[in-house]
Amino acid sequence: MSPDTSSLLTHPDRNLALELVRATEAAAIRAVPYIGRGDKLAADGAAVDAMRAFLGTVNFDGVVVIGEGEKDEAPMLYNGERVGNGRGPSCDIAVDPIDGTSLTAAGRQNALSMIAVADRGTMLDASSVFYMDKIVTGPEGIGIVDIRNPIGDNIRALAKAKGKDVGDMTIAILDRPRHAQLIDDVRAAGAGTRLMLDGDVAGGINAVRYGTRIDMCVGVGGSPEGIVTACAVKALGGFIQGVLAPKDDVERQRGIDAGLKMDHVYEADELVESDNTFFVATGVTDGGLVAGVRRLGPIIRTESVVLRSKSGTIRRISADHLAAKWL
């Protein structure tokens, strides 16, 4: 009897993640000439073009749920665009050719090229509300931490669950004026802060990964980044909650009209319903998650991470590319 392969035609399989790495590697490599050059739009444009070209060769039928923006403003990898060669599993896909365009332009750390994938129709489309308040921890936070609680209570509860002193806790927060009070509250609780210039997806992942110095990632960041982070968190067995944070009444109403819930705590399974999620990222510049692209004589070296929730695996991929092929 031949094996039943029907599920492979409808659900993303393990080979897909390794195919997607080619797209993030390409985007990261193409962004390198713009590192530290002060032109974030040029860096993003080069990465978008490279990612889109490679995605077109992948065996899947993807719909971009989270992309570069609306079609009129983003001619490539826009929300709703179909990607892949149309054969294979039907998927939702979230893309960010460079998470941290400002970091790339300034030559700072923690810029990534990344893709998240889930079964078709399972990613929350929160594109009508740009910001989301999030809290992310490792598995110790499940049933212990709640975004509705004061940050000090959450820090103390998580510290107890992890068997740590509060003074040894480190909380990652985007360094933004809107977080001034949150930062003060974290420090008043006795914990330390890790202020991020950008890239709260990497901050969230590092809060979940075992063995990092980050215990929790909190604060208001992009809603798309929240969905992408949820794909990674589910693969790592961690904890995430999010509450949409519309910037005004117009955006709030736009979210309601799109079917989103305001003042609602979105749990991980509401952000991404699928239990078969992938997260793939390649470093553009060096960071705590992966190393950035390096030119080593005739070789271009990339480092990537591949997470899959169904198998609970974390893979690191170091690849050497002949530089002559990229000229």
Side-chain angles (χ1 to χ4, degrees), residues 115-145:
I115 295 173
V117 171
D119 294 312
R120 173 70 54 80
T122 61
M123 281 188 190
L124 179 70
D125 182 357
S127 58
S128 55
V129 178
F130 189 78
Y131 286 113
M132 178 185 289
D133 192 9
K134 291 162 279 190
I135 186 166
V136 184
T137 78
E140 300 89 351
I142 298 173
I144 299 295
V145 169

Short mmCIF file of all heavy atoms in Angstrom, two decimals, residues 115-145:
data_model
loop_
_atom_site.label_atom_id
_atom_site.label_comp_id
_atom_site.label_asym_id
_atom_site.label_seq_id
_atom_site.Cartn_x
_atom_site.Cartn_y
_atom_site.Cartn_z
N ILE A 115 10.72 35.23 7.20
CA ILE A 115 9.47 34.75 6.63
C ILE A 115 8.79 33.86 7.67
O ILE A 115 9.45 33.06 8.33
CB ILE A 115 9.71 33.93 5.35
CG1 ILE A 115 10.31 34.79 4.24
CG2 ILE A 115 8.42 33.27 4.87
CD1 ILE A 115 10.73 33.99 3.01
N ALA A 116 7.48 34.00 7.80
CA ALA A 116 6.70 33.08 8.63
C ALA A 116 5.59 32.49 7.76
O ALA A 116 5.03 33.18 6.90
CB ALA A 116 6.10 33.80 9.84
N VAL A 117 5.29 31.22 7.99
CA VAL A 117 4.30 30.51 7.18
C VAL A 117 3.40 29.69 8.09
O VAL A 117 3.85 29.14 9.10
CB VAL A 117 5.00 29.59 6.15
CG1 VAL A 117 4.00 28.68 5.45
CG2 VAL A 117 5.76 30.40 5.12
N ALA A 118 2.11 29.61 7.72
CA ALA A 118 1.15 28.77 8.42
C ALA A 118 0.12 28.27 7.42
O ALA A 118 0.07 28.73 6.28
CB ALA A 118 0.47 29.54 9.56
N ASP A 119 -0.72 27.34 7.84
CA ASP A 119 -1.79 26.85 6.98
C ASP A 119 -2.65 28.02 6.50
O ASP A 119 -2.87 29.00 7.23
CB ASP A 119 -2.66 25.85 7.73
CG ASP A 119 -1.91 24.58 8.10
OD1 ASP A 119 -1.24 24.01 7.23
OD2 ASP A 119 -1.99 24.16 9.27
N ARG A 120 -3.20 27.88 5.30
CA ARG A 120 -4.03 28.92 4.70
C ARG A 120 -5.21 29.28 5.61
O ARG A 120 -5.90 28.43 6.15
CB ARG A 120 -4.56 28.45 3.34
CG ARG A 120 -5.56 29.37 2.66
CD ARG A 120 -4.93 30.68 2.18
NE ARG A 120 -3.79 30.45 1.32
CZ ARG A 120 -3.86 30.13 0.00
NH1 ARG A 120 -5.03 29.96 -0.57
NH2 ARG A 120 -2.77 29.97 -0.71
N GLY A 121 -5.40 30.58 5.83
CA GLY A 121 -6.53 31.08 6.60
C GLY A 121 -6.35 31.06 8.10
O GLY A 121 -7.31 31.28 8.83
N THR A 122 -5.11 30.81 8.58
CA THR A 122 -4.93 30.69 10.03
C THR A 122 -4.20 31.86 10.68
O THR A 122 -4.18 31.96 11.90
CB THR A 122 -4.16 29.40 10.38
OG1 THR A 122 -2.86 29.43 9.77
CG2 THR A 122 -4.92 28.17 9.90
N MET A 123 -3.60 32.75 9.89
CA MET A 123 -2.95 33.92 10.46
C MET A 123 -3.96 35.05 10.63
O MET A 123 -4.74 35.34 9.71
CB MET A 123 -1.82 34.43 9.55
CG MET A 123 -0.54 33.68 9.63
SD MET A 123 0.75 34.55 8.68
CE MET A 123 2.05 33.31 8.69
N LEU A 124 -3.95 35.69 11.78
CA LEU A 124 -4.80 36.85 11.99
C LEU A 124 -4.33 37.98 11.08
O LEU A 124 -3.16 38.35 11.08
CB LEU A 124 -4.72 37.30 13.45
CG LEU A 124 -5.56 38.54 13.82
CD1 LEU A 124 -7.05 38.20 13.78
CD2 LEU A 124 -5.16 39.05 15.21
N ASP A 125 -5.25 38.53 10.31
CA ASP A 125 -4.94 39.68 9.47
C ASP A 125 -5.23 40.95 10.27
O ASP A 125 -6.35 41.42 10.34
CB ASP A 125 -5.77 39.66 8.19
CG ASP A 125 -5.44 40.83 7.26
OD1 ASP A 125 -4.60 41.68 7.63
OD2 ASP A 125 -6.02 40.89 6.16
N ALA A 126 -4.18 41.47 10.91
CA ALA A 126 -4.32 42.66 11.75
C ALA A 126 -3.80 43.90 11.04
O ALA A 126 -3.47 44.90 11.69
CB ALA A 126 -3.57 42.45 13.06
N SER A 127 -3.75 43.87 9.71
CA SER A 127 -3.12 44.95 8.96
C SER A 127 -3.85 46.28 9.08
O SER A 127 -3.26 47.33 8.84
CB SER A 127 -3.00 44.56 7.48
OG SER A 127 -4.27 44.26 6.93
N SER A 128 -5.13 46.26 9.48
CA SER A 128 -5.88 47.51 9.58
C SER A 128 -5.56 48.29 10.85
O SER A 128 -5.93 49.45 10.98
CB SER A 128 -7.39 47.23 9.50
OG SER A 128 -7.77 46.29 10.47
N VAL A 129 -4.88 47.66 11.80
CA VAL A 129 -4.43 48.33 13.03
C VAL A 129 -2.93 48.13 13.12
O VAL A 129 -2.45 47.00 13.29
CB VAL A 129 -5.13 47.78 14.28
CG1 VAL A 129 -4.60 48.47 15.54
CG2 VAL A 129 -6.64 47.98 14.17
N PHE A 130 -2.18 49.20 13.04
CA PHE A 130 -0.73 49.08 12.86
C PHE A 130 0.00 48.60 14.10
O PHE A 130 0.99 47.88 14.01
CB PHE A 130 -0.15 50.43 12.43
CG PHE A 130 1.30 50.36 12.02
CD1 PHE A 130 1.66 49.86 10.78
CD2 PHE A 130 2.30 50.76 12.89
CE1 PHE A 130 2.99 49.76 10.41
CE2 PHE A 130 3.64 50.68 12.53
CZ PHE A 130 3.98 50.18 11.28
N TYR A 131 -0.48 48.99 15.30
CA TYR A 131 0.25 48.68 16.52
C TYR A 131 -0.45 47.65 17.39
O TYR A 131 -1.69 47.55 17.39
CB TYR A 131 0.49 49.94 17.35
CG TYR A 131 1.54 50.86 16.78
CD1 TYR A 131 1.20 52.11 16.28
CD2 TYR A 131 2.89 50.49 16.74
CE1 TYR A 131 2.16 52.96 15.75
CE2 TYR A 131 3.85 51.34 16.22
CZ TYR A 131 3.49 52.57 15.73
OH TYR A 131 4.44 53.41 15.21
N MET A 132 0.36 46.92 18.15
CA MET A 132 -0.14 45.91 19.08
C MET A 132 0.73 45.94 20.34
O MET A 132 1.96 46.00 20.26
CB MET A 132 -0.08 44.52 18.44
CG MET A 132 -0.53 43.38 19.35
SD MET A 132 -0.29 41.75 18.55
CE MET A 132 -1.58 41.82 17.29
N ASP A 133 0.08 45.90 21.49
CA ASP A 133 0.78 45.76 22.76
C ASP A 133 1.00 44.27 23.00
O ASP A 133 0.06 43.48 22.93
CB ASP A 133 -0.06 46.37 23.89
CG ASP A 133 0.71 46.53 25.18
OD1 ASP A 133 1.94 46.34 25.17
OD2 ASP A 133 0.09 46.86 26.21
N LYS A 134 2.25 43.88 23.29
CA LYS A 134 2.59 42.46 23.36
C LYS A 134 3.36 42.14 24.64
O LYS A 134 4.04 42.99 25.20
CB LYS A 134 3.46 42.07 22.16
CG LYS A 134 2.75 42.08 20.83
CD LYS A 134 3.71 42.10 19.67
CE LYS A 134 4.24 43.51 19.40
NZ LYS A 134 5.00 43.65 18.16
N ILE A 135 3.25 40.89 25.04
CA ILE A 135 4.09 40.36 26.10
C ILE A 135 4.50 38.95 25.68
O ILE A 135 3.66 38.16 25.23
CB ILE A 135 3.40 40.37 27.48
CG1 ILE A 135 4.36 39.94 28.58
CG2 ILE A 135 2.15 39.51 27.48
CD1 ILE A 135 3.85 40.25 29.98
N VAL A 136 5.80 38.67 25.76
CA VAL A 136 6.34 37.40 25.29
C VAL A 136 7.30 36.86 26.35
O VAL A 136 8.14 37.61 26.87
CB VAL A 136 7.10 37.56 23.96
CG1 VAL A 136 7.57 36.20 23.45
CG2 VAL A 136 6.24 38.25 22.91
N THR A 137 7.16 35.58 26.67
CA THR A 137 8.08 34.92 27.60
C THR A 137 8.32 33.49 27.13
O THR A 137 7.69 33.01 26.19
CB THR A 137 7.52 34.86 29.04
OG1 THR A 137 6.54 33.81 29.13
CG2 THR A 137 6.90 36.17 29.47
N GLY A 138 9.19 32.81 27.84
CA GLY A 138 9.37 31.39 27.61
C GLY A 138 8.22 30.59 28.18
O GLY A 138 7.24 31.16 28.69
N PRO A 139 8.30 29.27 28.12
CA PRO A 139 7.19 28.43 28.58
C PRO A 139 6.85 28.61 30.05
O PRO A 139 5.72 28.31 30.47
CB PRO A 139 7.69 27.00 28.29
CG PRO A 139 9.16 27.11 28.12
CD PRO A 139 9.41 28.47 27.57
N GLU A 140 7.80 29.14 30.84
CA GLU A 140 7.52 29.35 32.27
C GLU A 140 6.41 30.36 32.50
O GLU A 140 5.79 30.39 33.56
CB GLU A 140 8.79 29.82 32.99
CG GLU A 140 9.96 28.87 32.91
CD GLU A 140 10.83 29.11 31.68
OE1 GLU A 140 10.43 29.91 30.81
OE2 GLU A 140 11.92 28.51 31.62
N GLY A 141 6.15 31.21 31.50
CA GLY A 141 5.12 32.24 31.65
C GLY A 141 3.71 31.76 31.41
O GLY A 141 2.74 32.46 31.73
N ILE A 142 3.55 30.55 30.86
CA ILE A 142 2.21 30.03 30.56
C ILE A 142 1.43 29.82 31.85
O ILE A 142 1.89 29.11 32.75
CB ILE A 142 2.31 28.72 29.76
CG1 ILE A 142 2.99 28.97 28.42
CG2 ILE A 142 0.92 28.12 29.55
CD1 ILE A 142 3.28 27.70 27.63
N GLY A 143 0.27 30.45 31.95
CA GLY A 143 -0.56 30.33 33.14
C GLY A 143 -0.07 31.17 34.31
O GLY A 143 -0.68 31.16 35.37
N ILE A 144 1.02 31.90 34.11
CA ILE A 144 1.62 32.70 35.17
C ILE A 144 1.56 34.19 34.86
O ILE A 144 1.21 35.02 35.71
CB ILE A 144 3.10 32.28 35.39
CG1 ILE A 144 3.20 30.81 35.80
CG2 ILE A 144 3.79 33.19 36.41
CD1 ILE A 144 2.56 30.50 37.14
N VAL A 145 1.87 34.53 33.63
CA VAL A 145 1.94 35.93 33.19
C VAL A 145 0.66 36.29 32.46
O VAL A 145 0.07 35.46 31.76
CB VAL A 145 3.17 36.12 32.28
CG1 VAL A 145 3.13 37.47 31.58
CG2 VAL A 145 4.46 35.96 33.07
#
